[in-house]
Structure formats: structure tokens, C-alpha cells
Amino acid sequence: MLKIVNRNCAGIDVHKKTIVVTIAKTNEHDITDYQTKSFNTFTEDLIKCRDWLISNDTFDVCMESTGKYWIPVFNILEEKCKCIITHPKYVRSIPGKKTDKKDSIWIADMFKHGLVEPSFMPPADVRQLRDLMRYRNKLINIRSGEKNRFQNSLTMSNVQIANVVTDVFGKTSQSILKLMLSNPNLTLDDITPLLRKNLKSSPEEILKSINGNFDDSQSSKMNIVLKHFDSINECIDELEEQILKLAIQYSTEVNLLLTVPGIKEISAIFIIAEIGTNMNTFIDDKHLCSWAGLTPRCNESAKKKKSVRISKAGIYIKHLLVQCALCAIKDKSCPYIKARYESLKRRRGHKKAIIAIARLLLTSIYHMLLTGEVFNYQRFENLMDRNFKSHKNIQNTPEEMISYLTNLGYNITLQNT
């Protein structure tokens, strides 16, 4: 017989327009009595639901939902009840015997016996910061799409300015292109005042690169793309102002994360928005890495591992940490990270190596937020000495010397003399 963990609890099946709530009360004889009610998702009805739970002394609530439908319910119940959110895959009922009422009873039963896997839910202020940071991430992706559309129009118009400048959306390039859209027949005198002194390409090369074949359709498309691009930049700037205001209360944690190689201010805020500041929520650093989707999956049957790929979890923080890892392997302040990456890359490839570096960064972040200590460079220097500079690995043979230098990240080319 399963142990009863919560003797007075509730299970909620959440939908867009209605929620179905079941209170499960278990007496001293382990007999459970169920009460089920349905409520609309208007605020007034959700307050009635909360009052009904409180009147029955039910403060432990478990809800199952996908998407964003759980948020209005959670906002109302959070102040008075201990609410947990669970993914539907953990409380999935038997197919063919599903109704909203049966679903809520099943959720209450699972929660009663402590069989529900709760989802990580940070405090309200962290959730607000997370929402803004994720929206900023979406806007950046949209802006990247507009850049690609603009470049496609340039290619179709035989404009090859991307071959002579570093950034098509730089200040000089944009000045030239906007002038070109208003007047396709530019001369050398028109573009020379717009060029920077440190520009490597000559004015003649730039004029030759913008000598294309424009038509009205591509010109109008590029004008629209540039307007949209500028408006997205304005939105991102306004959004970042609000983000920085919310992030002031986490200035200590942000400054702590800035000591990690490869992490800048906006990345540090994004990490805090995703994982919060209280690391006691996670069992250990391995639990956090698993939650972020940076560990191999456990999928074994008959002593055969079916898959060791990383999971699809952490769709936001995983991509962020990978970008930070790409910056960290270029940071010369901590050579161990680059050496570790090069060592893994030779054996497992770039993708697995960069995931390993991302996990290393997240593990460091976990312990830093848990203890309040800054990034310990000395510890990684000791690891560098032990793993990549060990004198016992240095031999007098050329093969051993080449292997030693390769472990340090150098590319060795042999020449006949």
C-alpha cells in the first residue's frame, strides 16, 4: 500500500475557460473523501475557488497544465496556498477513461501519495524578469530574421557590399545603403564623406560593390525591412531599460556571475531570470544541469542504453549557456576551459565538447550562488597543471612532445628538414 503524504490536498485540471478542482481528504482510517467543483477562469471565480479551498483547510494544491493557462490560477492561489505545477507527462491518466473530473481526481490521488514531480517555479519577481528576458530573446531572433531578409534583397539586386565591409548593418554601411535606396545612381563624391578613416576597403571598391540592378519591388521591401529593423531596436532598448530596473535588486548576484569567463551583464541577468538566486531549490548541481538539459538522458532497457542524447529541456538557458561557452573558450583569463574544450573536441566533436563546457559553467554558477564566492581561477589553474601540464606526460620522444602540445590546444604541423 502506498504511503499517504498529503492527507488534505487538492488536484486541479486547468483549461482555458474552466478549471476542475477536486479536494481529497483522507481520515485516520486511510479512507479518502472527494469533493469536486468546476470554476471559470475569471478572477472573481478563481477567488471563489481559493476561498472554497481555504474553507476546507486545503492548502496543498497540485495543478496540471500546458501553455500559459496555469498562470492566472497560480497568481490567485499563490498567496494562501502551497501550489505546485506539474507537467502532464508525470500525471497522465489511462487513455479511454478520461474526463475533466476523473483527471482532477487522478491528480489529487497522485499528489496525495507524493508521486507528483513538481516543476521549478521561481518567485514572482524572478518570473517577471524571466518573462521580459524571454521576450527580448524573441525580439533579437526577429531582428536577425530581418537582417537575413535585407541581405537576400541585396543579393537579388546584385549589391555585394557584404564582400567589402565587415557588417552590413554597421553605421557606415547603413548610411551608404539608405542613400542608395533614395538615389541609386551614386558617385564617388556622394559616398566618400560617409566612409570612416579606418575602413580597409577603398571608396572605389565600395562604389563598385553597390553598383547593382535595383527594381521597385526590392527597393520597397528593403525600406520596409529597415523601418521594421529600427523599430525592433527601439523596442529592445525600451525593454532593456525595464529589465535593468528589475535587475537592480539582484546586483550582488549579477556581479558575482560577471566573474565567470564568457558571461557579460545581460547574460548574467538572463541566467538569474531562468534559475533564480536560491540554489537550495535544486538537490545539487547535477539536478540543475539535468533541469537545464545539459546531461545525457537515462533511457536503458535490458542493459542496453537506447539513447544518451541530451534532453530537450532548458530551451532558453541551454542556448544561452552554449553562447557563453563559445565566449569562454576564447577567454584567455582561464586557459583551462579552452584546453578542456580542445581535449574533448578531438575525441567527441565540437557539439558535445561545447555542451560539456556549458555544463562546467552552470556547475560553477550553482556553487557560486550557493556559497556567495566569486569564480575561483586558482582552482582551474591547479586543474590545468594536473591534467594538461603534468610532467610525467612529458617525454623526450617527438611523438610525446607533439601529444603534450596538442593537449595544450596548439596545432602542430610537421615539416621535413
Side-chain angles (χ1 to χ4, degrees):
M1 185 176 179
L2 291 174
K3 179 182 178 181
I4 297 177
V5 178
N6 300 305
R7 291 191 170 271
N8 188 353
C9 62
I12 304 179
D13 189 25
V14 183
H15 302 281
K16 180 179 180 180
K17 296 181 180 179
T18 60
I19 61 172
V20 182
V21 186
T22 295
I23 294 177
K25 289 185 177 181
T26 307
N27 58 24
E28 63 275 9
H29 302 292
D30 293 342
I31 298 174
T32 303
D33 178 51
Y34 300 97
Q35 302 178 54
T36 303
K37 280 189 177 182
S38 296
F39 299 90
N40 291 325
T41 53
F42 298 122
T43 303
E44 182 180 352
D45 294 296
L46 293 178
I47 293 175
K48 291 180 181 179
C49 172
R50 183 189 65 188
D51 295 340
W52 179 62
L53 291 171
I54 294 174
S55 65
N56 285 276
D57 296 328
T58 304
F59 299 98
D60 294 317
V61 179
C62 175
M63 64 180 73
E64 170 262 321
S65 175
T66 55
K68 302 288 186 179
Y69 298 147
W70 61 270
I71 296 178
V73 186
F74 190 88
N75 290 339
I76 299 297
L77 300 182
E78 183 181 17
E79 297 179 358
K80 301 293 183 179
C81 302
K82 182 182 178 182
C83 300
I84 68 170
I85 313 295
T86 185
H87 197 278
K89 69 179 180 181
Y90 297 123
V91 291
R92 189 169 295 165
S93 185
I94 301 174
K97 296 184 178 181
K98 280 173 53 62
T99 64
D100 293 341
K101 182 178 179 180
K102 288 182 179 179
D103 280 347
S104 64
I105 294 174
W106 176 254
I107 295 168
D109 277 335
M110 296 279 286
F111 187 46
K112 176 181 68 176
H113 294 294
L115 301 176
V116 175
E117 185 74 20
S119 300
F120 169 61
M121 193 57 53
D125 49 354
V126 177
R127 294 202 304 270
Q128 292 176 357
L129 185 60
R130 173 192 286 185
D131 184 58
L132 295 182
M133 287 302 302
R134 289 183 176 182
Y135 181 46
R136 176 186 176 274
N137 189 57
K138 295 288 185 183
L139 290 178
I140 290 176
N141 291 337
I142 295 172
R143 184 176 65 180
S144 299
E146 291 300 318
K147 286 184 177 181
N148 293 334
R149 293 183 188 94
F150 189 81
Q151 181 58 53
N152 290 340
S153 295
L154 290 177
T155 303
M156 294 178 66
S157 302
N158 296 341
V159 177
Q160 303 297 334
I161 193 173
N163 297 340
V164 294
V165 296
T166 305
D167 184 13
V168 175
F169 280 82
K171 185 176 181 180
T172 301
S173 304
Q174 284 297 294
S175 300
I176 295 172
L177 291 173
K178 289 179 180 179
L179 183 62
M180 180 187 65
L181 290 174
S182 60
N183 180 20
N185 300 318
L186 294 179
T187 63
L188 196 62
D189 295 333
D190 295 328
I191 66 171
T192 301
L194 303 176
L195 303 182
R196 299 195 314 270
K197 293 182 180 179
N198 58 351
L199 195 65
K200 294 182 180 180
S201 301
S202 64
E204 291 77 11
E205 289 178 332
I206 293 177
L207 182 62
K208 187 177 179 181
S209 69
I210 63 175
N211 184 18
N213 183 18
F214 274 96
D215 55 21
D216 294 337
S217 61
Q218 291 300 326
S219 298
S220 60
K221 177 184 175 182
M222 283 190 281
N223 280 317
I224 294 172
V225 169
L226 287 177
K227 289 180 182 178
H228 192 201
F229 180 81
D230 293 337
S231 65
I232 291 173
N233 283 331
E234 292 178 2
C235 292
I236 291 175
D237 292 339
E238 293 180 8
L239 196 59
E240 288 181 348
E241 289 181 7
Q242 184 62 29
I243 288 171
L244 293 176
K245 290 180 182 179
L246 291 177
I248 289 176
Q249 56 184 319
Y250 305 111
S251 58
T252 302
E253 290 80 5
V254 170
N255 292 330
L256 202 63
L257 296 190
L258 289 178
T259 62
V260 181
I263 294 182
K264 305 301 180 183
E265 183 180 15
I266 200 68
S267 300
I269 296 173
F270 202 168
I271 291 171
I272 290 173
E274 289 296 322
I275 67 175
T277 57
N278 182 15
M279 293 298 101
N280 293 319
T281 307
F282 301 96
I283 300 173
D284 52 18
D285 55 349
K286 294 181 180 178
H287 183 210
L288 174 59
C289 292
S290 177
W291 175 85
L294 294 173
T295 58
R297 289 180 293 180
C298 295
N299 189 3
E300 183 178 347
S301 180
K303 296 184 179 181
K304 293 182 181 179
K305 291 184 178 180
K306 296 184 178 181
S307 175
V308 291
R309 291 179 178 270
I310 58 175
S311 66
K312 295 181 180 180
I315 59 174
Y316 289 97
I317 190 171
K318 186 189 329 185
H319 296 171
L320 172 65
L321 288 171
V322 166
Q323 293 176 5
C324 294
L326 291 171
C327 295
I329 62 177
K330 300 176 183 178
D331 195 329
K332 296 182 180 179
S333 62
C334 187
Y336 172 81
I337 295 178
K338 179 177 175 58
R340 180 67 176 167
Y341 165 77
E342 294 291 346
S343 176
L344 290 170
K345 180 184 176 182
R346 287 191 300 272
R347 295 183 288 112
R348 306 304 298 275
H350 164 73
K351 291 184 178 180
K352 291 182 180 179
I354 207 66
I355 287 293
I357 300 302
R359 178 173 177 173
L360 184 149
L361 294 180
L362 185 58
T363 302
S364 301
I365 290 169
Y366 171 85
H367 291 285
M368 290 168 61
L369 292 176
L370 188 66
T371 61
E373 298 178 0
V374 298
F375 188 81
N376 193 340
Y377 285 88
Q378 183 61 41
R379 179 175 299 175
F380 286 93
E381 288 180 6
N382 295 336
L383 288 174
M384 185 76 175
D385 295 336
R386 187 184 71 182
N387 297 340
F388 299 104
K389 292 183 178 180
S390 179
H391 292 287
K392 67 180 181 181
N393 292 330
I394 302 178
Q395 304 294 334
N396 292 327
T397 62
E399 291 80 11
E400 293 295 331
M401 293 298 296
I402 291 172
S403 176
Y404 172 70
L405 292 173
T406 305
N407 287 334
L408 294 178
Y410 294 99
N411 293 324
I412 307 300
T413 303
L414 298 179
Q415 295 180 351
N416 294 325
T417 58

